[in-house]
Amino acid sequence: MSPFAEYAIAFLLLLGGAFTLIGAIGLARLPDFFTRLHGPTKATTLGVGAIMLSSVIYFSARGEGIGISEVLITVFLFMTAPVSANILAKAAMHIGVRTMDGTEGKPWEQ
Amino acid sequence: MLDRLSFPQPWLSLILFVTWQFLSDGISGGSLVLGLILAWAIPQMTQGFWPERPSFMRFWLMPKYLARVLKDIVIASFQVAALIISPRKPRPAFVCYPLELEHPLAISILASTISLTPGTVSADVSDDQRLLLIHALDTENEQEVIDTIRKRYEQPLLEMFK
């Protein structure tokens, strides 16, 4: 494997790991349910994207073909993350989870 | 009876079939048969949930839109990461977004885009499909959020579904 590919893989793994970690920290630190909702939907997007790219580079650099299954994993995550976030937010609004002080606007009632 | 054997969503069936070939290790007789069964059964089972297909859609504008969304995800991820690490409190807001799009498929694409780009989650669509409720993680004024979404995402989608 060329050193360039190794550096690229290491960089992408670190980047993906850092973003996943920050997403987890956000989940613990942010003040209310709706702000915490931003953590998992976001950390997965860039974190998983970077880790997937490094995996694709690794397997193509070793000459085992381009890993299409990694791309599929990412596509599935990108498709399901917004839907689950949407359902979580809907459920939270339905049971009237309290929002943090200083939140502008209100969730509506239907 | 013949209705039961047809493919009500030909494009979905094709995507399912191809995806299954990629998921299974190499194309074999078994994966072809199972892919065919899945491509038939899943559209049949979910048929009641599908919105009517748009009469006209400019598919070739999609790659440009996807590239823009990907770029925004990367930029905004850094902003959200900085916000989580910084000690100051976020200023969240619920924003009512008046939709210009009318087609249900276009609205769901817009809502998914909003949820994927960091900083905003779409929470609900009003029953008459004219308003979208968005939760923004950190914003100074609502108009800014609305303008950004209108300009960057809704205009291209309007072009696509015109």
Side-chain angles (χ1 to χ4, degrees):
Chain A
M1 207 186 313
S2 73
F4 177 74
E6 280 180 26
Y7 280 120
I9 291 165
F11 171 74
L12 284 170
L13 275 181
L14 280 175
L15 187 75
F19 268 100
T20 315
L21 178 67
I22 289 171
I25 293 172
L27 200 60
R29 259 203 66 189
L30 290 170
D32 73 351
F33 177 82
F34 289 100
T35 50
R36 280 200 290 272
L37 198 57
H38 291 270
T41 44
K42 311 299 129 85
T44 47
T45 20
L46 197 62
V48 170
I51 293 170
M52 176 275 292
L53 260 183
S54 68
S55 167
V56 169
I57 295 175
Y58 177 77
F59 282 109
S60 43
R62 294 220 331 191
E64 293 180 18
I66 304 165
I68 294 170
S69 38
E70 289 99 328
V71 181
L72 282 178
I73 291 170
T74 319
V75 170
F76 289 151
L77 262 173
F78 275 36
M79 283 198 305
T80 51
V83 177
S84 47
N86 184 254
I87 298 297
L88 281 171
K90 255 189 160 169
M93 290 197 307
H94 184 68
I95 59 173
V97 173
R98 65 169 188 86
T99 52
M100 72 176 266
D101 303 335
T103 302
E104 272 178 55
K106 278 199 163 26
W108 60 43
E109 292 289 328
Q110 275 194 355
Chain B
M1 184 59 206
L2 217 70
D3 212 33
R4 284 271 122 200
L5 287 173
S6 65
F7 294 94
Q9 305 275 344
W11 283 108
L12 175 69
S13 295
L14 186 70
I15 291 169
L16 283 168
F17 183 74
V18 173
T19 308
W20 188 256
Q21 305 315 317
F22 283 135
L23 276 178
S24 47
D25 270 333
I27 298 168
S28 64
S31 78
L32 286 177
V33 171
L34 201 53
L36 211 59
I37 292 173
L38 287 172
W40 167 77
I42 292 175
Q44 283 286 355
M45 282 190 286
T46 56
Q47 200 177 2
F49 300 104
W50 281 90
E52 234 175 89
R53 249 178 298 164
S55 49
F56 182 71
M57 191 179 160
R58 298 179 182 172
F59 280 106
W60 59 91
L61 289 173
M62 204 63 178
K64 198 182 148 207
Y65 180 74
L66 285 180
R68 167 176 288 185
V69 171
L70 272 181
K71 196 182 120 214
D72 284 6
I73 286 175
V74 174
I75 295 172
S77 289
F78 280 96
Q79 289 169 356
V80 171
L83 178 79
I84 287 174
I85 296 172
S86 81
R88 86 180 164 84
K89 285 217 158 168
R91 290 156 300 183
F94 281 100
V95 180
C96 270
Y97 181 84
L99 285 163
E100 272 175 28
L101 293 165
E102 277 165 10
H103 196 272
L105 183 64
I107 293 175
S108 69
I109 292 177
L110 181 69
S112 301
T113 312
I114 291 169
S115 288
L116 268 181
T117 47
T120 46
V121 166
S122 53
D124 205 357
V125 189
S126 68
D127 289 339
D128 58 1
Q129 306 201 327
R130 291 191 179 281
L131 284 173
L132 197 64
L133 183 67
I134 298 169
H135 184 268
L137 178 59
D138 188 53
T139 176
E140 277 179 35
N141 68 61
E142 296 185 10
Q143 201 52 46
E144 206 182 292
V145 178
I146 294 175
D147 288 345
T148 319
I149 293 170
R150 171 104 51 222
K151 214 167 67 216
R152 288 198 70 82
Y153 308 124
E154 193 170 24
Q155 290 304 335
L157 281 175
L158 273 172
E159 282 280 301
M160 223 182 293
F161 283 89
K162 197 153 56 184

